[in-house]
Amino acid sequence: MMESQPLQEPTATAPAAGEEQAGAPPAVVPGKEFTRTCKGLVVVLIGGYVLLQLLPSSLNYLAIIPSKTIPYVWTVFTAGYIEQVLPGAIGSSLGLLFCGKDIEPVWGRKEFLKFIILVNSICGIFAFCFAIGLYYVTGKESFLVTPLSGFHGCLAGFLVALKQLLPNLELPMCFFWKIKAKWMPFFVVCFSSIMAFIVPDSINFLPTLVSGMYVSWLYLRYFQRNPLTGLKGDPSDEFSFPSLFPVAMRPVTDPVANLFDRMLCARSRPSEVALPVSDPTKASRRRERGERVLEERLAADHAVDTEAPAHGHGTAED
């Protein structure tokens, strides 16, 4: 089972008097208990597997079969919750429980479910398009009739979310080997690509994994209302597209990142800009100006309030 262990325990000491924490989001700590939402989704995943064992024909109406997807369009949305084999159902359930206990407490239940539905749906569309493309390229009809389903696209999206929230979290891969959460997306892409050449049938999982990671990064980078900062998206350098890859790959990843920055940043970044934490002098000056304006307004309001009763009293005496 996958258990998460933080590299550094968050300090519980309160900030000293007068010490400013403006602009710094609260620290994210790993969750300790499985959430009720994740337990409910595990029931859905296990229930989907049991349903296939009891009614094998239901696979035609729940999984993506490219040759039948046009009449059965809803399969694009249901396929992400259907596991066809027992190891897949167990692995997806464990991944959901252990990733969800760290993510859902930070995002909240509504945002957590929204993320799952969004990623699973878009991954289903990508899987369908990729299978059709492989059919036209190779001419193999197997790509049109092979059922595609599974929760692995959303699990890949969870890895990107953990990179954003807990990048230094250590995730155990085997007995004594651990890897930081910030490198998990790149590791999974490399491992899945290698397996696609070794085991040809596993190529069906590759587009879902890659699309799950990329769609989740786009959503978290540009569109999600960040619960820690209150701003839209995450423009930090630590969550940029090149940060998903080793430094040696920057010549390839930087042009792609710049392209999407020009396409999306202007529309998705918030209009309200927080005080620059990196320049405390300017921030202090802005706060002082704001305090002076506030004091002047309060003084003016107080003067108006004191003059009004005096004027009324004088009128009564006349």
Side-chain angles (χ1 to χ4, degrees), residues 46-93:
I46 299 298
Y49 170 75
V50 173
L51 177 63
L52 293 184
Q53 308 311 307
L54 298 176
L55 296 172
S57 60
S58 62
L59 184 65
N60 297 324
Y61 305 97
L62 296 175
I64 297 174
I65 301 178
S67 61
K68 300 180 179 180
T69 301
I70 297 304
Y72 303 151
V73 180
W74 63 83
T75 58
V76 172
F77 306 99
T78 60
Y81 310 96
I82 302 299
E83 293 289 349
Q84 301 181 39
V85 295
L86 183 59
I90 295 175
S92 295
S93 299

Side-chain angles (χ1 to χ4, degrees), residues 76-190:
V76 172
F77 306 99
T78 60
Y81 310 96
I82 302 299
E83 293 289 349
Q84 301 181 39
V85 295
L86 183 59
I90 295 175
S92 295
S93 299
L94 293 177
L96 172 61
L97 289 173
F98 283 99
C99 292
K101 75 180 179 66
D102 294 331
I103 299 173
E104 186 186 350
V106 181
W107 288 356
R109 179 181 298 178
K110 182 178 179 180
E111 177 63 27
F112 184 67
L113 290 174
K114 175 183 175 182
F115 179 84
I116 291 175
I117 295 173
L118 175 69
V119 173
N120 266 339
S121 301
I122 297 181
C123 284
I125 296 174
F126 271 95
F128 167 74
C129 295
F130 188 76
I132 295 296
L134 286 178
Y135 165 72
Y136 281 109
V137 171
T138 64
K140 296 181 179 180
E141 295 186 0
S142 59
F143 289 115
L144 295 180
V145 298
T146 300
L148 306 175
S149 66
F151 197 70
H152 45 279
C154 197
L155 291 179
F158 287 160
L159 296 179
V160 177
L162 287 177
K163 169 186 168 51
Q164 180 194 37
L165 299 176
L166 295 163
N168 291 323
L169 192 71
E170 285 189 334
L171 303 175
M173 298 302 299
C174 55
F175 296 103
F176 300 103
W177 181 39
K178 297 179 181 180
I179 185 172
K180 291 183 179 180
K182 62 183 178 182
W183 297 123
M184 277 298 293
F186 177 73
F187 172 80
V188 170
V189 169
C190 290

Side-chain angles (χ1 to χ4, degrees), residues 290-300:
E291 290 173 359
R292 286 198 299 268
V293 172
L294 180 60
E295 290 175 358
E296 292 174 359
R297 290 180 180 177
L298 291 176

